Amino acid sequence: MVHGPRAGLAELDALEGELTGRRMAAVRGHLLERAGEREAARAAHESAAARTLSLPEQRCLPTRAAR
């Protein structure tokens, strides 16, 4: 985060294919939220919530998406 959320998103894009799943979507959602891209952040958080089996994550991620 030293270089900002856009730099983090660029790093995630570089890792696409190597890292997948709910954690990648949750991190993407967090960075998009920090970058001010609310609609894309919502979609990423919803995607992460749909992929998890963890009940706490199933509750937390939709809350983040709704912000």
Side-chain angles (χ1 to χ4, degrees):
M1 291 297 287
V2 171
H3 301 288
R6 298 267 178 225
L9 288 166
E11 291 293 324
L12 282 183
D13 289 342
L15 295 171
E16 198 69 40
E18 292 180 44
L19 299 174
T20 59
R22 74 182 193 286
R23 289 190 179 119
M24 186 76 150
V27 169
R28 183 174 299 284
H30 175 73
L31 291 172
L32 288 165
E33 188 178 337
R34 301 277 307 226
E37 296 187 35
R38 297 180 193 272
E39 191 60 30
R42 182 191 59 76
H45 286 305
E46 287 176 352
S47 174
R51 294 176 185 183
T52 187
L53 299 177
S54 164
L55 293 176
E57 284 182 337
Q58 287 174 356
R59 288 187 295 265
C60 174
L61 290 166
T63 301
R64 289 193 72 133
R67 285 196 279 168

mmCIF file of all heavy atoms in Angstrom, residues 8-31:
data_model
loop_
_atom_site.group_PDB
_atom_site.id
_atom_site.type_symbol
_atom_site.label_atom_id
_atom_site.label_comp_id
_atom_site.label_asym_id
_atom_site.label_seq_id
_atom_site.Cartn_x
_atom_site.Cartn_y
_atom_site.Cartn_z
ATOM 1 N N GLY A 8 -1.151 -1.758 -6.160
ATOM 2 C CA GLY A 8 -1.545 -3.080 -5.675
ATOM 3 C C GLY A 8 -2.386 -3.819 -6.702
ATOM 4 O O GLY A 8 -2.202 -5.025 -6.906
ATOM 5 N N LEU A 9 -3.300 -3.105 -7.343
ATOM 6 C CA LEU A 9 -4.116 -3.735 -8.393
ATOM 7 C C LEU A 9 -3.260 -4.191 -9.567
ATOM 8 O O LEU A 9 -3.497 -5.256 -10.135
ATOM 9 C CB LEU A 9 -5.203 -2.763 -8.867
ATOM 10 C CG LEU A 9 -6.331 -2.532 -7.864
ATOM 11 C CD1 LEU A 9 -7.154 -1.313 -8.257
ATOM 12 C CD2 LEU A 9 -7.209 -3.773 -7.767
ATOM 13 N N ALA A 10 -2.251 -3.394 -9.915
ATOM 14 C CA ALA A 10 -1.341 -3.785 -10.997
ATOM 15 C C ALA A 10 -0.587 -5.060 -10.628
ATOM 16 O O ALA A 10 -0.400 -5.949 -11.470
ATOM 17 C CB ALA A 10 -0.363 -2.654 -11.304
ATOM 18 N N GLU A 11 -0.179 -5.161 -9.364
ATOM 19 C CA GLU A 11 0.504 -6.378 -8.900
ATOM 20 C C GLU A 11 -0.431 -7.585 -8.962
ATOM 21 O O GLU A 11 -0.026 -8.675 -9.356
ATOM 22 C CB GLU A 11 1.042 -6.193 -7.478
ATOM 23 C CG GLU A 11 2.185 -5.225 -7.367
ATOM 24 C CD GLU A 11 3.438 -5.719 -8.061
ATOM 25 O OE1 GLU A 11 3.719 -6.936 -8.037
ATOM 26 O OE2 GLU A 11 4.145 -4.878 -8.633
ATOM 27 N N LEU A 12 -1.691 -7.396 -8.564
ATOM 28 C CA LEU A 12 -2.659 -8.495 -8.641
ATOM 29 C C LEU A 12 -2.865 -8.936 -10.085
ATOM 30 O O LEU A 12 -2.954 -10.132 -10.366
ATOM 31 C CB LEU A 12 -4.010 -8.079 -8.054
ATOM 32 C CG LEU A 12 -4.137 -8.058 -6.551
ATOM 33 C CD1 LEU A 12 -5.558 -7.684 -6.160
ATOM 34 C CD2 LEU A 12 -3.772 -9.391 -5.942
ATOM 35 N N ASP A 13 -2.954 -7.963 -10.978
ATOM 36 C CA ASP A 13 -3.118 -8.298 -12.393
ATOM 37 C C ASP A 13 -1.937 -9.124 -12.904
ATOM 38 O O ASP A 13 -2.115 -10.051 -13.686
ATOM 39 C CB ASP A 13 -3.279 -7.032 -13.231
ATOM 40 C CG ASP A 13 -4.611 -6.345 -13.009
ATOM 41 O OD1 ASP A 13 -5.551 -7.005 -12.490
ATOM 42 O OD2 ASP A 13 -4.723 -5.155 -13.343
ATOM 43 N N ALA A 14 -0.733 -8.802 -12.418
ATOM 44 C CA ALA A 14 0.462 -9.547 -12.825
ATOM 45 C C ALA A 14 0.433 -10.986 -12.308
ATOM 46 O O ALA A 14 1.018 -11.878 -12.917
ATOM 47 C CB ALA A 14 1.720 -8.837 -12.330
ATOM 48 N N LEU A 15 -0.265 -11.204 -11.197
ATOM 49 C CA LEU A 15 -0.352 -12.541 -10.606
ATOM 50 C C LEU A 15 -1.551 -13.341 -11.106
ATOM 51 O O LEU A 15 -1.734 -14.488 -10.704
ATOM 52 C CB LEU A 15 -0.433 -12.436 -9.081
ATOM 53 C CG LEU A 15 0.792 -11.873 -8.391
ATOM 54 C CD1 LEU A 15 0.504 -11.625 -6.921
ATOM 55 C CD2 LEU A 15 1.975 -12.814 -8.557
ATOM 56 N N GLU A 16 -2.376 -12.726 -11.935
ATOM 57 C CA GLU A 16 -3.573 -13.401 -12.446
ATOM 58 C C GLU A 16 -3.192 -14.745 -13.064
ATOM 59 O O GLU A 16 -2.255 -14.840 -13.824
ATOM 60 C CB GLU A 16 -4.262 -12.525 -13.492
ATOM 61 C CG GLU A 16 -5.676 -12.901 -13.772
ATOM 62 C CD GLU A 16 -6.613 -12.604 -12.609
ATOM 63 O OE1 GLU A 16 -6.463 -11.558 -11.981
ATOM 64 O OE2 GLU A 16 -7.481 -13.453 -12.333
ATOM 65 N N GLY A 17 -3.906 -15.760 -12.691
ATOM 66 C CA GLY A 17 -3.615 -17.107 -13.170
ATOM 67 C C GLY A 17 -2.797 -17.898 -12.169
ATOM 68 O O GLY A 17 -2.967 -19.094 -12.040
ATOM 69 N N GLU A 18 -1.891 -17.225 -11.473
ATOM 70 C CA GLU A 18 -1.094 -17.892 -10.447
ATOM 71 C C GLU A 18 -1.874 -17.989 -9.141
ATOM 72 O O GLU A 18 -1.801 -18.982 -8.442
ATOM 73 C CB GLU A 18 0.212 -17.139 -10.202
ATOM 74 C CG GLU A 18 1.168 -17.189 -11.370
ATOM 75 C CD GLU A 18 2.443 -16.428 -11.063
ATOM 76 O OE1 GLU A 18 2.975 -16.575 -9.948
ATOM 77 O OE2 GLU A 18 2.895 -15.697 -11.945
ATOM 78 N N LEU A 19 -2.579 -16.927 -8.819
ATOM 79 C CA LEU A 19 -3.388 -16.882 -7.607
ATOM 80 C C LEU A 19 -4.845 -16.690 -8.008
ATOM 81 O O LEU A 19 -5.155 -15.843 -8.829
ATOM 82 C CB LEU A 19 -2.963 -15.720 -6.706
ATOM 83 C CG LEU A 19 -1.537 -15.747 -6.191
ATOM 84 C CD1 LEU A 19 -1.229 -14.456 -5.436
ATOM 85 C CD2 LEU A 19 -1.317 -16.940 -5.286
ATOM 86 N N THR A 20 -5.705 -17.482 -7.418
ATOM 87 C CA THR A 20 -7.127 -17.377 -7.725
ATOM 88 C C THR A 20 -7.924 -17.582 -6.453
ATOM 89 O O THR A 20 -7.370 -17.826 -5.389
ATOM 90 C CB THR A 20 -7.562 -18.429 -8.762
ATOM 91 O OG1 THR A 20 -7.280 -19.721 -8.226
ATOM 92 C CG2 THR A 20 -6.834 -18.263 -10.078
ATOM 93 N N GLY A 21 -9.212 -17.513 -6.572
ATOM 94 C CA GLY A 21 -10.073 -17.852 -5.459
ATOM 95 C C GLY A 21 -10.581 -16.659 -4.683
ATOM 96 O O GLY A 21 -10.411 -15.510 -5.064
ATOM 97 N N ARG A 22 -11.208 -16.981 -3.562
ATOM 98 C CA ARG A 22 -11.892 -15.967 -2.775
ATOM 99 C C ARG A 22 -10.952 -14.934 -2.195
ATOM 100 O O ARG A 22 -11.284 -13.761 -2.112
ATOM 101 C CB ARG A 22 -12.724 -16.620 -1.685
ATOM 102 C CG ARG A 22 -11.915 -17.161 -0.534
ATOM 103 C CD ARG A 22 -12.787 -17.847 0.508
ATOM 104 N NE ARG A 22 -12.083 -18.099 1.728
ATOM 105 C CZ ARG A 22 -11.166 -19.029 1.900
ATOM 106 N NH1 ARG A 22 -10.819 -19.808 0.901
ATOM 107 N NH2 ARG A 22 -10.582 -19.197 3.074
ATOM 108 N N ARG A 23 -9.774 -15.344 -1.784
ATOM 109 C CA ARG A 23 -8.842 -14.386 -1.191
ATOM 110 C C ARG A 23 -8.388 -13.356 -2.214
ATOM 111 O O ARG A 23 -8.279 -12.172 -1.905
ATOM 112 C CB ARG A 23 -7.655 -15.103 -0.574
ATOM 113 C CG ARG A 23 -8.049 -15.842 0.678
ATOM 114 C CD ARG A 23 -6.845 -16.367 1.435
ATOM 115 N NE ARG A 23 -7.271 -17.037 2.634
ATOM 116 C CZ ARG A 23 -7.043 -18.307 2.888
ATOM 117 N NH1 ARG A 23 -6.373 -19.052 2.038
ATOM 118 N NH2 ARG A 23 -7.473 -18.836 4.012
ATOM 119 N N MET A 24 -8.125 -13.817 -3.421
ATOM 120 C CA MET A 24 -7.725 -12.892 -4.487
ATOM 121 C C MET A 24 -8.853 -11.898 -4.753
ATOM 122 O O MET A 24 -8.611 -10.698 -4.898
ATOM 123 C CB MET A 24 -7.382 -13.682 -5.741
ATOM 124 C CG MET A 24 -6.837 -12.860 -6.850
ATOM 125 S SD MET A 24 -5.127 -12.440 -6.502
ATOM 126 C CE MET A 24 -4.508 -12.319 -8.145
ATOM 127 N N ALA A 25 -10.091 -12.390 -4.802
ATOM 128 C CA ALA A 25 -11.243 -11.516 -5.039
ATOM 129 C C ALA A 25 -11.430 -10.540 -3.875
ATOM 130 O O ALA A 25 -11.744 -9.364 -4.094
ATOM 131 C CB ALA A 25 -12.503 -12.349 -5.250
ATOM 132 N N ALA A 26 -11.225 -10.996 -2.651
ATOM 133 C CA ALA A 26 -11.369 -10.124 -1.487
ATOM 134 C C ALA A 26 -10.300 -9.034 -1.479
ATOM 135 O O ALA A 26 -10.597 -7.867 -1.195
ATOM 136 C CB ALA A 26 -11.314 -10.938 -0.198
ATOM 137 N N VAL A 27 -9.079 -9.395 -1.801
ATOM 138 C CA VAL A 27 -7.996 -8.405 -1.866
ATOM 139 C C VAL A 27 -8.288 -7.404 -2.976
ATOM 140 O O VAL A 27 -8.145 -6.192 -2.790
ATOM 141 C CB VAL A 27 -6.627 -9.090 -2.073
ATOM 142 C CG1 VAL A 27 -5.551 -8.072 -2.405
ATOM 143 C CG2 VAL A 27 -6.243 -9.886 -0.848
ATOM 144 N N ARG A 28 -8.725 -7.899 -4.116
ATOM 145 C CA ARG A 28 -9.067 -7.012 -5.229
ATOM 146 C C ARG A 28 -10.181 -6.048 -4.791
ATOM 147 O O ARG A 28 -10.116 -4.844 -5.059
ATOM 148 C CB ARG A 28 -9.491 -7.803 -6.458
ATOM 149 C CG ARG A 28 -9.785 -6.922 -7.666
ATOM 150 C CD ARG A 28 -10.073 -7.739 -8.908
ATOM 151 N NE ARG A 28 -8.956 -8.583 -9.296
ATOM 152 C CZ ARG A 28 -7.850 -8.158 -9.897
ATOM 153 N NH1 ARG A 28 -7.716 -6.895 -10.217
ATOM 154 N NH2 ARG A 28 -6.895 -9.003 -10.208
ATOM 155 N N GLY A 29 -11.193 -6.569 -4.115
ATOM 156 C CA GLY A 29 -12.277 -5.726 -3.636
ATOM 157 C C GLY A 29 -11.795 -4.639 -2.689
ATOM 158 O O GLY A 29 -12.202 -3.484 -2.787
ATOM 159 N N HIS A 30 -10.895 -5.016 -1.786
ATOM 160 C CA HIS A 30 -10.345 -4.047 -0.841
ATOM 161 C C HIS A 30 -9.583 -2.947 -1.578
ATOM 162 O O HIS A 30 -9.763 -1.749 -1.297
ATOM 163 C CB HIS A 30 -9.433 -4.758 0.159
ATOM 164 C CG HIS A 30 -8.726 -3.828 1.085
ATOM 165 N ND1 HIS A 30 -9.364 -3.171 2.115
ATOM 166 C CD2 HIS A 30 -7.437 -3.423 1.119
ATOM 167 C CE1 HIS A 30 -8.478 -2.406 2.750
ATOM 168 N NE2 HIS A 30 -7.318 -2.552 2.163
ATOM 169 N N LEU A 31 -8.742 -3.335 -2.518
ATOM 170 C CA LEU A 31 -7.960 -2.344 -3.256
ATOM 171 C C LEU A 31 -8.846 -1.465 -4.128
ATOM 172 O O LEU A 31 -8.620 -0.251 -4.221
ATOM 173 C CB LEU A 31 -6.883 -3.041 -4.098
ATOM 174 C CG LEU A 31 -5.762 -3.696 -3.300
ATOM 175 C CD1 LEU A 31 -4.870 -4.518 -4.215
ATOM 176 C CD2 LEU A 31 -4.946 -2.654 -2.551
#
